[in-house]
Amino acid sequence: MNVVVIGAQWGDEGKGKMVDYLATDAQIIVRFSGGANAGHTIVRGGEQFALHLIPSGVLYPDKTVVLGTGMAIDPEAMFAELDMLAQRGIDWKGRVLVSDRAHIVLPRYRDIDKAMEASRKNPIGTTGRGIGVTYSMKSSRDGVRLADLFDPDRLVNLEPEDRSYIERWRDKLAPMAIDLVDYLSKHRHAYVLFEGAQGTLLDLDTGTYPFVSSGMSCAAGAAAQGGIGPRSMDKVLGVFKAYSTRVGNGPFPTEFDNDSQSELCQFVRDTGREYGVTTGRPRRCGYLDLVALRYACLTNSIDSLVLTHLDVYDTLDSFEACVAYKVRGKLIEYFPSSVRDLEDAEPVLRTFTGWKKSLKETKDYDHLPQKAQDYISFIEEYTETAIDIVSVGYDRAETIVRKSPWIRY
Ligand code: IMP
């Protein structure tokens, strides 16, 4: 069975925790896109792990994790992360695999990334990890794939500096390299969890272009870049927060106003720990954007939604969510492709009453306060998509499951 988990906003929705949680029932976890630009925080029995390249499932001693075809693999960053895991007692050898179709980030790509960003009139706010450059090289057919490491004919085309860099990693990468399509076809009866990076609004095609990352963060990526065909996805889960955040530049219609909502913004940022795992940057914060969430459901065929960070609103008397935009006087209910329209979009907000109660200990959906249930029901009706899992804290235990994605109903 193949379950796909993607971010339904601009990344940082809490996918790391959810993948870690859902991985309990999976045998294989495949991350299909992104690279060291991403950051996942997982809390295990009070211990915190920050992962960037390695799929979250690695913390389970019995799971195999795969870095998929759509990933941009920075060997230096990957082995530093694996060393950190080994030092903390995680035995990863033999169960961290890498698709040999994945592309490699060369050190000079990071420099080019930073130089390109510095020369942009409208900077994107990239993480500087060379991700966009790796995908550009891939598209222009000048990239280096893992498979090339073992093909002397490909290596002769490389600049001596690039060649000696990747040759440094060849012996360490060799035992990890697999043909992902073949591997998954041999494990077709396994429970496989496909983990997307970033979120659909940062996807190159479905996102707020050009203020996006360069990989496939949408569910389709699980097929094209995760080693299966599109009809083999049994379920697609979209993870979103009770509010919205965004890192880097680009349109964000529901962003809190710097002057009139600065206190609320700081409250959400601090309570939700909204600081980048990769860059430490404070995240931009705002109310939930239902127009964008419905768009995410449509472009990704999301079967069910996973709501996280609901507990961040525990102490608020009231809060709002965006149900439409007003763009230069015109009311619209769809998510526009034009950056200008998104920048001009004034959110039409609906007010919700807060529940004023800690949700941390809640284990059942029926035990959630009525006001919290009202918020959830409204989102479900608006997006025409069920919310099957609700997260009310960082720990695995702080999760309410209404319907497991691993059960075929
Ligand atoms: P890049 O992926 O480094 O090229 O950055 C492009 C944009 O995507 C920037 O706005 C980044 O802040 C954003 N971005 C990249 N990875 C993540 C992530 O994991 N979470 C949130 N934003 C991200």
Side-chain angles (χ1 to χ4, degrees):
M1 186 173 185
N2 296 323
V3 171
V4 177
V5 178
I6 58 143
Q9 296 166 312
W10 281 283
D12 310 314
E13 299 92 348
K15 290 183 300 296
K17 172 190 159 169
M18 285 327 305
V19 169
D20 178 59
Y21 185 86
L22 295 169
T24 319
D25 295 310
Q27 283 111 37
I28 302 167
I29 297 97
V30 179
R31 173 158 159 205
F32 55 86
S33 67
N37 51 349
H40 287 160
T41 309
I42 302 154
V43 181
R44 272 292 182 87
E47 208 184 341
Q48 188 164 314
F49 291 85
L51 299 173
H52 299 280
L53 274 155
I54 308 296
S56 321
V58 74
L59 300 183
Y60 293 88
D62 57 334
K63 317 279 179 206
T64 299
V65 302
V66 187
L67 285 80
T69 300
M71 284 193 68
I73 313 278
D74 181 331
E76 226 170 313
M78 185 179 77
F79 284 110
E81 211 167 301
L82 290 170
D83 287 348
M84 175 276 290
L85 287 169
Q87 275 162 21
R88 293 177 69 178
I90 311 289
D91 184 11
W92 60 268
K93 288 224 162 88
R95 40 182 211 93
V96 176
L97 307 174
V98 188
S99 165
D100 63 3
R101 291 184 173 88
H103 279 247
I104 292 180
V105 181
L106 297 175
R108 67 185 168 88
Y109 294 177
R110 292 191 289 251
D111 301 333
I112 300 170
D113 187 359
K114 286 174 200 149
M116 283 174 76
E117 183 69 353
S119 70
R120 280 188 182 108
K121 284 206 177 78
N122 292 312
I124 295 161
T126 75
T127 57
R129 299 294 193 272
I131 303 301
V133 180
T134 308
Y135 288 122
S136 307
M137 295 299 274
K138 174 178 175 173
S139 300
S140 62
R141 286 135 306 151
D142 294 311
V144 183
R145 299 184 309 162
L146 211 66
D148 299 339
L149 292 183
F150 316 107
D151 178 353
D153 284 346
R154 279 284 303 153
L155 294 188
V156 290
N157 291 329
L158 293 178
E159 295 294 327
E161 188 193 337
D162 295 342
R163 186 175 168 161
S164 69
Y165 174 78
I166 56 168
E167 280 179 346
R168 256 175 55 206
W169 302 104
R170 184 165 47 197
D171 292 349
K172 282 181 101 173
L173 283 166
M176 300 166 79
I178 56 160
D179 184 306
L180 182 56
V181 176
D182 182 51
Y183 178 82
L184 289 180
S185 82
K186 289 191 174 115
H187 292 84
R188 71 172 71 85
H189 300 299
Y191 277 34
V192 186
L193 190 61
F194 292 84
E195 172 185 356
Q198 288 87 40
T200 194
L201 301 178
L202 285 176
D203 177 275
L204 193 57
D205 290 290
T206 62
T208 50
Y209 190 91
F211 298 98
V212 290
S213 192
S214 312
M216 278 182 95
S217 314
C218 61
Q225 307 187 326
I228 53 168
R231 289 176 59 199
S232 300
M233 287 188 237
D234 294 292
K235 262 172 211 170
V236 177
L237 266 56
V239 185
F240 74 105
K241 285 192 277 217
Y243 49 92
S244 309
T245 61
R246 167 158 213 171
V247 194
N249 303 327
F252 184 2
T254 62
E255 183 168 17
F256 292 135
D257 183 78
N258 251 344
D259 302 319
S260 62
Q261 292 174 309
S262 66
E263 223 172 282
L264 176 63
C265 182
Q266 202 53 45
F267 167 80
V268 168
R269 187 176 284 146
D270 290 341
T271 315
R273 300 188 206 168
E274 298 298 352
Y275 295 88
V277 180
T278 301
T279 57
R281 289 184 284 185
R283 295 180 185 139
R284 298 159 66 192
C285 301
Y287 281 129
L288 175 63
D289 186 339
L290 285 163
V291 180
L293 187 63
R294 183 165 55 194
Y295 168 76
C297 290
L298 292 173
T299 49
N300 293 286
S301 305
I302 290 176
D303 293 296
S304 73
L305 287 163
V306 177
L307 167 59
T308 68
H309 289 67
L310 187 58
D311 53 299
V312 169
Y313 278 173
D314 279 358
T315 56
L316 296 186
D317 293 326
S318 66
F319 56 89
E320 291 168 300
C322 168
V323 292
Y325 301 141
K326 232 182 191 173
V327 180
R328 299 181 292 279
K330 191 176 162 213
L331 193 74
I332 61 166
E333 289 185 344
Y334 64 89
F335 192 73
S337 52
S338 147
V339 168
R340 182 169 166 237
D341 286 356
L342 282 167
E343 270 164 0
D344 287 350
E346 290 167 46
V348 177
L349 297 168
R350 184 189 196 280
T351 305
F352 295 83
T353 312
W355 41 90
K356 306 278 282 177
K357 188 176 182 285
S358 169
L359 301 184
K360 243 179 162 4
E361 304 296 325
T362 316
K363 301 280 176 250
D364 282 303
Y365 183 80
D366 294 341
H367 292 144
L368 278 173
Q370 189 55 47
K371 298 290 180 218
Q373 289 192 24
D374 291 347
Y375 186 41
I376 291 172
S377 303
F378 186 87
I379 301 168
E380 289 184 312
E381 274 163 39
Y382 188 98
T383 57
E384 297 179 71
T385 311
I387 295 178
D388 285 343
I389 303 177
V390 181
S391 168
V392 290
Y394 289 95
D395 210 87
R396 305 182 76 234
E398 293 161 345
T399 312
I400 301 166
V401 180
R402 298 169 83 186
K403 219 173 179 185
S404 164
W406 296 112
I407 298 171
R408 292 179 203 266
Y409 291 90

